[in-house]
Amino acid sequence: MSHKLIVISAPSGAGKTTIARELMRRHPELLFSVSATTRPRRSFETEGTDYFFLTKERFKEYIGQDKMVEWEEIYGEFYGTLKSEVDKALSEGKAMLFDIDVNGALSIKKHYPEESLLIFIKPPSLEELTERLTNRKTEDSETIHRRLERVPMEMEKVKEFDVCIVNDDLEKAVNTIDGIVSGKTQEKA
């Protein structure tokens, strides 16, 4: 893998987490970048595997101490990437996979321009995205509405990514990204 930091980003519901999990299954040598968050842990999530769950006070301390590569406040909760995790992977020569929002992705590229590859996952349509968010039943209608309000901003930033893949067929999207990550396919898809 020529790039050490592979960043997958997309609007909520576009399939980035499903794609990231499949890439991790296919490439066990990849480290997964576990984000930090202040949002409440969902019943199926595990500390240190899904997220590092921090208090808002601790998260703000980390920001002040420059311990976050990127961070963002979304709907009153903080999300970010611990600098120590990224630096450790790079110092060990390991590739790391990120599943983060568009602003976080662009911040990774800003801090690590030579090491990063940004991949944007587009939903086939806004209607399909709305249906996916509704069908996963992890959020209430107000949260889904807030997530959909972000989509225009997220889609505007596509042009700043290295690769854009439309997820209208999950297997095809995964295979395309796998080819790019493995260096078998050209990066401008």
Side-chain angles (χ1 to χ4, degrees):
M1 286 179 206
S2 60
H3 291 91
K4 292 295 181 190
L5 305 177
I6 300 151
V7 185
I8 296 179
S9 195
S12 289
K16 73 180 184 307
T17 301
T18 303
I19 290 169
R21 285 188 179 134
E22 179 58 18
L23 287 173
M24 292 298 297
R25 190 189 68 72
R26 292 182 185 192
H27 296 279
E29 73 280 8
L30 280 173
L31 296 177
F32 184 73
S33 172
V34 178
S35 295
T37 186
T38 61
R39 78 153 170 76
R41 186 173 68 87
R42 294 175 183 151
S43 61
F44 56 85
E45 292 175 323
T46 305
E47 169 71 25
T49 301
D50 296 297
Y51 283 98
F52 293 109
F53 294 95
L54 304 175
T55 64
K56 286 186 181 176
E57 293 74 24
R58 174 62 50 91
F59 201 104
K60 289 176 182 177
E61 283 175 20
Y62 283 9
I63 292 168
Q65 296 166 354
D66 198 30
K67 291 184 177 182
M68 305 301 282
V69 174
E70 57 84 24
W71 65 272
E72 187 170 9
E73 184 177 3
I74 304 173
Y75 318 126
E77 300 295 349
F78 290 88
Y79 296 83
T81 302
L82 296 166
K83 191 181 283 186
S84 59
E85 295 290 307
V86 179
D87 290 343
K88 181 179 181 211
L90 290 174
S91 71
E92 294 174 358
K94 295 183 178 171
M96 181 174 265
L97 181 68
F98 296 78
D99 169 0
I100 58 178
D101 80 305
V102 293
N103 292 325
L106 295 172
S107 188
I108 295 286
K109 188 168 190 157
K110 179 182 166 194
H111 284 87
Y112 303 97
E114 299 302 313
E115 296 91 347
S116 62
L117 172 67
L118 273 54
I119 302 170
F120 190 91
I121 309 299
K122 279 176 78 170
S125 67
L126 189 57
E127 294 75 23
E128 175 73 17
L129 186 67
T130 303
E131 188 176 315
R132 289 178 187 178
L133 284 171
T134 304
N135 289 343
R136 71 183 191 185
K137 300 184 186 328
T138 56
E139 290 121 354
D140 60 27
S141 61
E142 182 182 325
T143 304
I144 291 170
H145 179 74
R146 285 196 317 248
R147 291 191 184 281
L148 291 171
E149 283 180 331
R150 282 180 57 91
V151 173
M153 175 277 293
E154 292 169 323
M155 297 300 285
E156 176 64 26
K157 298 192 179 196
V158 169
K159 60 184 173 278
E160 298 179 59
F161 280 68
D162 301 306
V163 177
C164 179
I165 304 291
V166 176
N167 184 14
D168 54 357
D169 176 315
L170 182 62
E171 188 173 346
K172 185 176 134 196
V174 170
N175 287 337
T176 301
I177 294 168
D178 188 13
I180 293 165
V181 168
S182 301
K184 298 173 189 155
T185 309
Q186 290 300 313
E187 289 174 20
K188 290 290 180 188

